[in-house]
Amino acid sequence: MVHLADGILLLAIKRLNGERSERSLFHVLNGKRSATTLQDAFFYELESIFGQFPQATYSYESMLKGFEKRGWLDRKQFKLTKAGEMISSPEAVERLFNRLGGERRDYNATTWKRLSLFVQTFMSKEHARTFYPVQADRPAEQWVKQLLQLDRDWKALMRTFHQEIEQALDHVGDPYATAVVYRFTGAFETGLTYEQIASLLDVDAETARLYFLAGWNELLKVLPEDAKIRGFTYGLSTDRMTYSARESYDLFLKGYIFDQVQARRRLRTSTIEDHVVEMAMYLAVFPLEQFVPMQDIVAIEKLRDPVSWALKPVFEEMSNVSYFQIRLVFARLKRGETFV
């Protein structure tokens, strides 16, 4: 049987366009926060699945072997066959793929842990029932304990939370909304497993898990900015830049030049270059000409194959630019800028 989850993974391979390796995708699926993996996710539009398929090497290898055996994957080129293209092409696959929220996964996951544990704790206390925490997460437990110590009308706020979630889920729609609702644990009912939700939705467990991830990600996105439930996101950030790159960025903002930032951070040149590439990838405004002369920017854009993000062909054509400079230009092109 073909599952929607299979289509998601095949679509990821398709987007890599044969330009990256099996290992590259493995790191994206596991959410490795290295410069190379972050750039792969950015350039090949894989950010939504970043870290959303954590798996061991043997399970990843087994998955690829399965795709190859079913005639969906050419592993030598790491590209899909025509049959694989068909599995990855339905609109439902792309719609789910783009909603998974991998670029916000820590934000989404922590918010869910806090809220789901709060609901279980509050409801259980209201009905004087003992319970085992639905989230085995010490920081979330501490956060909820501190929250409940505050002097609030929690009954009224719970009603508000419920209304806000209902309204948001109306926008999210099924099957995503159903997967979210049935994951909540109350005083008398335990949140369903992915296997149980799968049975309700007539899908496999992995697809049910993806429906939940997509539904929860969309819910947090459509919540009004003044929603009370946003209090559960306190102290969290959706910033995609790594903490180390953010530290370098703060120094650049203070007026330090590249060599000065490197000296203060005591990091290798290549590491600071990776930080600058992150800035080019994620910042709305970036001073590209401080790093690449305009004539070279134009030349790089002209040389780039419109359907490829491969660096080497451009590098081989231009003896006067570095891979670092090409990555910077590509990052701004990927963001929709043009210089020709």
Side-chain angles (χ1 to χ4, degrees), residues 36 38 127 145 168 202 236 257 263:
T36 300
L38 289 170
H127 295 279
K145 283 180 180 178
D202 194 27
L236 305 179
I257 62 174

Side-chain angles (χ1 to χ4, degrees), residues 45-59:
E45 299 181 9
L46 303 178
E47 289 180 315
S48 60
I49 65 166
F50 189 83
Q52 300 294 50
F53 291 83
Q55 53 192 291
T57 303
Y58 75 89
S59 60

Side-chain angles (χ1 to χ4, degrees), residues 23-34:
R23 181 57 53 179
S24 298
L25 179 59
F26 176 76
H27 291 320
V28 169
L29 297 179
N30 279 289
K32 183 179 181 180
R33 294 187 70 78
S34 68

Side-chain angles (χ1 to χ4, degrees), residues 147-157:
L147 185 65
L148 287 170
Q149 289 172 2
L150 299 176
D151 184 17
R152 297 284 190 275
D153 183 354
W154 290 115
K155 285 187 178 180
L157 279 171

Side-chain angles (χ1 to χ4, degrees), residues 273 296 299-305 308-327 329-330:
E273 287 180 348
D296 291 335
I300 290 170
E301 181 174 358
K302 287 180 177 179
L303 285 171
R304 181 199 156 231
D305 184 334
S308 171
W309 294 106
L311 303 170
K312 189 175 181 180
V314 175
F315 181 77
E316 290 177 341
E317 289 288 334
M318 298 185 66
S319 59
N320 61 318
V321 299
S322 65
Y323 275 109
F324 166 56
Q325 292 174 308
I326 298 171
R327 284 188 292 159
V329 177
F330 274 21

Side-chain angles (χ1 to χ4, degrees), residues 110 113-114 117 135 137-145:
T110 302
K113 288 175 182 177
R114 290 174 175 180
L117 184 56
Q135 297 292 345
D137 185 273
R138 188 65 176 170
E141 288 182 20
Q142 291 296 113
W143 198 91
V144 170
K145 283 180 180 178

Side-chain angles (χ1 to χ4, degrees), residues 180-299:
V180 172
V181 168
Y182 281 105
R183 287 292 288 166
F184 277 103
T185 292
F188 299 98
E189 60 284 321
T190 302
L192 299 187
T193 64
Y194 292 126
E195 288 77 10
Q196 291 169 323
I197 294 173
S199 181
L200 282 175
L201 298 175
D202 194 27
V203 295
D204 62 293
E206 180 66 350
T207 298
R209 183 182 74 88
L210 299 181
Y211 280 155
F212 167 75
L213 292 176
W216 184 243
N217 179 54
E218 288 294 309
L219 182 148
L220 292 177
K221 282 185 173 182
V222 302
L223 275 176
E225 287 300 317
D226 60 350
K228 297 293 184 184
I229 210 167
R230 284 203 179 276
F232 288 90
T233 69
Y234 179 78
L236 305 179
S237 173
T238 58
D239 190 357
R240 291 180 291 170
M241 195 178 295
T242 59
Y243 181 77
S244 187
R246 174 62 62 177
E247 286 191 320
S248 295
Y249 175 52
D250 289 341
L251 291 175
F252 278 111
L253 285 179
K254 291 177 181 178
Y256 292 99
I257 62 174
F258 189 101
D259 291 344
Q260 293 171 324
V261 172
Q262 182 183 354
R264 290 183 69 88
R265 295 296 316 278
R266 297 182 179 179
L267 297 172
R268 293 178 301 176
T269 299
S270 61
T271 301
I272 302 300
E273 287 180 348
D274 287 335
H275 292 171
V276 175
V277 173
E278 278 194 57
M279 297 172 208
M281 286 160 51
Y282 301 136
L283 296 177
V285 178
F286 178 80
L288 183 58
E289 287 185 75
Q290 288 187 20
F291 300 93
V292 191
M294 179 52 72
Q295 65 267 25
D296 291 335
I297 295 173
V298 172

